[in-house]
Amino acid sequence: MGTVTIGVSIAVPEPHGSLLQERRAGFGDAAAHGIPTHVTLLPPTEVDAAELPAVEAHLTEVAAVGRPFTMRLSGTDTFRPLSPVVYVRVVAGAEACARLQQRVRTPSGPLARELQFPYHPHVTVAHGIDDAAMDRAFEELAGYEAEWLCTGFALHRQGSDGVWRKLREFTFGGRGVVPPQAAPVDRGTLPTR
């Protein structure tokens, strides 16, 4: 069966996800349309394809004990010079993301792994492009704001074409349907120039 590359993430909902993806593409990031806009819980990880059912069972358990929480994005920051990334900051929900990613990577589970860098929830808007474009992303999205209620996360698989595709969503508390009061709050804004 071989190995597959998977990732676990929280989607940035519409209209925010598409807007940030289009902005990322506009800055010249060629990977923009192959990566849905997200906050990472598990970075790209190779697993044996035969282990996918165990991975899904584990993620179902992680989601079952989770509870919805507010996510708020505000402004930009960068990992430069350590890593060529500009991102939108997670200013509310970061602690909940950190706890969630620890549960996803629990040492007793199928996704146990060490991270290359300390976990820092963020939404990438530019990666590995020239410095002038990175500076532009940093400046143009400095006033960006968005807020929504996070009700779960998803498992993605990277295809041989480099595109990430959703395999399955996991809803907190094991609920299959998000109640109306948990719908995303549309508070995304970009500064006007």
Side-chain angles (χ1 to χ4, degrees):
M1 247 183 155
T3 61
V4 294
T5 301
I6 61 168
V8 179
S9 62
I10 295 170
V12 174
E14 295 305 329
H16 318 298
S18 291
L19 183 145
L20 290 175
Q21 190 175 45
E22 289 303 316
R23 294 304 303 268
R24 183 173 177 173
F27 298 132
D29 191 330
H33 290 293
I35 305 171
T37 307
H38 68 282
V39 175
T40 299
L41 297 176
L42 177 76
T45 301
E46 255 190 37
V47 298
D48 191 305
E51 292 297 312
L52 283 176
V55 166
E56 289 190 21
H58 169 65
L59 293 176
T60 298
E61 290 175 12
V62 170
V65 299
R67 296 292 172 259
F69 59 92
T70 298
M71 291 280 288
R72 187 160 56 91
L73 308 179
S74 181
T76 53
D77 207 339
T78 182
F79 292 130
R80 295 185 291 175
L82 186 61
S83 181
V85 172
V86 170
Y87 60 89
V88 174
R89 296 178 304 134
V90 175
V91 296
E95 288 179 18
C97 288
R99 286 190 303 272
L100 194 54
Q101 66 87 28
Q102 285 176 332
R103 286 189 217 123
V104 168
R105 294 185 309 104
T106 185
S108 61
L111 298 175
R113 65 165 284 187
E114 293 296 319
L115 298 178
Q116 183 178 2
F117 301 106
Y119 182 74
H120 184 86
H122 65 280
V123 177
T124 298
V125 291
H127 180 227
I129 56 178
D130 68 70
D131 283 337
M134 298 279 269
D135 292 342
R136 205 171 109 232
F138 186 89
E139 292 166 13
E140 290 183 15
L141 292 173
Y144 185 78
E145 300 272 340
E147 183 175 313
W148 71 94
L149 188 67
C150 176
T151 58
F153 56 87
L155 172 65
H156 285 78
R157 177 178 176 175
Q158 187 178 35
S160 58
D161 57 359
V163 174
W164 288 89
R165 293 175 180 86
K166 185 174 11 178
L167 293 178
R168 182 172 167 197
E169 289 186 38
F170 300 87
T171 304
F172 294 140
R175 294 176 303 184
V177 178
V178 177
Q181 68 268 23
V185 178
D186 184 4
R187 293 186 48 196
T189 58
L190 276 175
T192 54
R193 291 191 187 254

